[in-house]
Amino acid sequence: MGACNTMTVNIMISNGKEAYLPAIKEGVQLDLERKGSPGTLKFAYYDDGNIKTEEGNQVKLTVDGTDLFFGFLFSKKISSKDSNIVECTAYDQLRYLKNKDTYAYNNLTAGEVIKLIAEDFRLNIGELEDTGYKIPRREEQNKTLFDIVQNAIDETLQNTGKLYVFYDNVGKLTLKNIDSMKLDLLVNTDTAQSYDYSSSIDNKTYNQVKVVYKNTKDKTNDVFLVKSGENINKWGVLQLNETVETKESGAKKAEALLKYYNRVSKTLTIKDAFGDIRVRAGSSLVVMLQIENTTVSSYMVAEKVTHAFKNDEHLMTLKLRGGLFNV
């Protein structure tokens, strides 16, 4: 990761037929999370009396000629101490997934569920990868749209072992396999001088998985059990108990869950790393660090990224996860 000597940061606000490129106060922040939150842009501009903005206006962030964020103005704040400065918060399309609704569907992929919601709520769609897995049936009662989409992604993961990332790509809803989001960026002692590292088997680590199919016809339960004897010997029995909608998918789901959860969870938080606009939540970075007696040398996934632009400097705070991704 390399630092920028000079940097051009522009924010365009569109209000009807009018578009403004206001003078921006130093300190623009973009927060991106892998799940459950919209992209959030915080900035402040100098009001010369000729800028007319209001809630719902379109907001676009461009850094060195590259569009990085497109969203909508949700809040403004003006203080009597400096009334010509307007503090703003904008969110990308994912903000509208906080709405609640009820859906029931059969034989849809996660991408098809996203399309269904996007059509109902007038959201723009980009690249939605075909997961290859159709969810047999699911009913969601009065859930947030975030939860409905995440449940579809989780169902896909639990039955295929493949994790997908759902995000807004500069104004277009996008779904990608996490394996396709690897970057050629290295995190080491030169780029991560300030960090916190932890490893744990205390949260969402399982070495034995039991999947149960409730056979309503003959009122019995079909049980699919898989385990890792090696890790049971090391950690004791850590069991995950799940159900399945169809008997045919029971064994496959059990194997996929064991493969996914039978690992140590590793978390690395890095502050003020050199910024790179390609990094978003879901991106994988190469981490090479020597921490006490532990050598960390692997890809880790960005769960949360904060891009900060100030004084011709672009820095990032990263929350990275390796070993497994909590869902």
Side-chain angles (χ1 to χ4, degrees), residues 11 20-26 43-48 51 84:
I11 293 178
Y20 306 101
L21 282 171
I24 302 298
K25 183 182 177 183
E26 284 289 353
F43 64 96
Y45 67 86
Y46 295 97
D47 186 2
D48 61 3
I51 300 174
N84 70 326

Side-chain angles (χ1 to χ4, degrees), residues 178-318:
I178 203 164
D179 291 338
S180 68
M181 298 179 67
K182 292 181 178 180
L183 297 175
D184 57 345
L185 294 181
L186 174 65
V187 176
N188 57 20
T189 52
D190 294 329
T191 57
Q193 297 181 24
S194 174
Y195 61 81
D196 294 309
Y197 174 80
S198 64
S199 59
S200 174
I201 60 170
D202 192 36
N203 185 30
K204 293 198 173 183
T205 294
Y206 304 102
N207 49 29
Q208 182 167 295
V209 176
K210 179 187 288 187
V211 173
V212 178
Y213 170 68
K214 296 181 179 179
N215 194 326
T216 55
K217 188 177 271 188
D218 57 14
K219 297 182 180 179
T220 61
N221 288 337
D222 293 301
V223 177
F224 304 89
L225 182 69
V226 292
K227 64 180 74 175
S228 167
E230 179 183 356
N231 282 340
I232 287 175
N233 288 338
K234 287 196 294 185
W235 308 331
V237 176
L238 300 172
Q239 179 171 292
L240 174 65
N241 195 70
E242 288 282 345
T243 59
V244 70
E245 292 291 336
T246 62
K247 182 178 179 180
E248 293 73 24
S249 61
K252 188 176 181 180
K253 181 173 182 176
E255 291 287 353
L257 288 171
L258 182 66
K259 181 180 179 181
Y260 180 75
Y261 286 114
N262 185 36
R263 314 181 199 188
V264 175
S265 175
K266 301 170 184 177
T267 303
L268 177 67
T269 301
I270 300 169
K271 296 179 181 178
D272 297 334
F274 293 137
D276 189 307
I277 61 174
R278 296 176 299 167
V279 179
R280 64 167 309 108
S283 298
S284 295
L285 317 178
V286 179
V287 177
M288 296 185 68
L289 291 173
Q290 183 69 36
I291 303 172
E292 292 186 341
N293 297 323
T294 302
T295 299
V296 182
S297 179
S298 64
Y299 275 100
M300 298 186 77
V301 171
E303 290 287 309
K304 182 177 180 179
V305 183
T306 296
H307 292 276
F309 304 94
K310 188 176 183 180
N311 299 326
D312 270 338
E313 192 173 39
H314 175 197
L315 299 175
M316 299 186 297
T317 296
L318 305 168

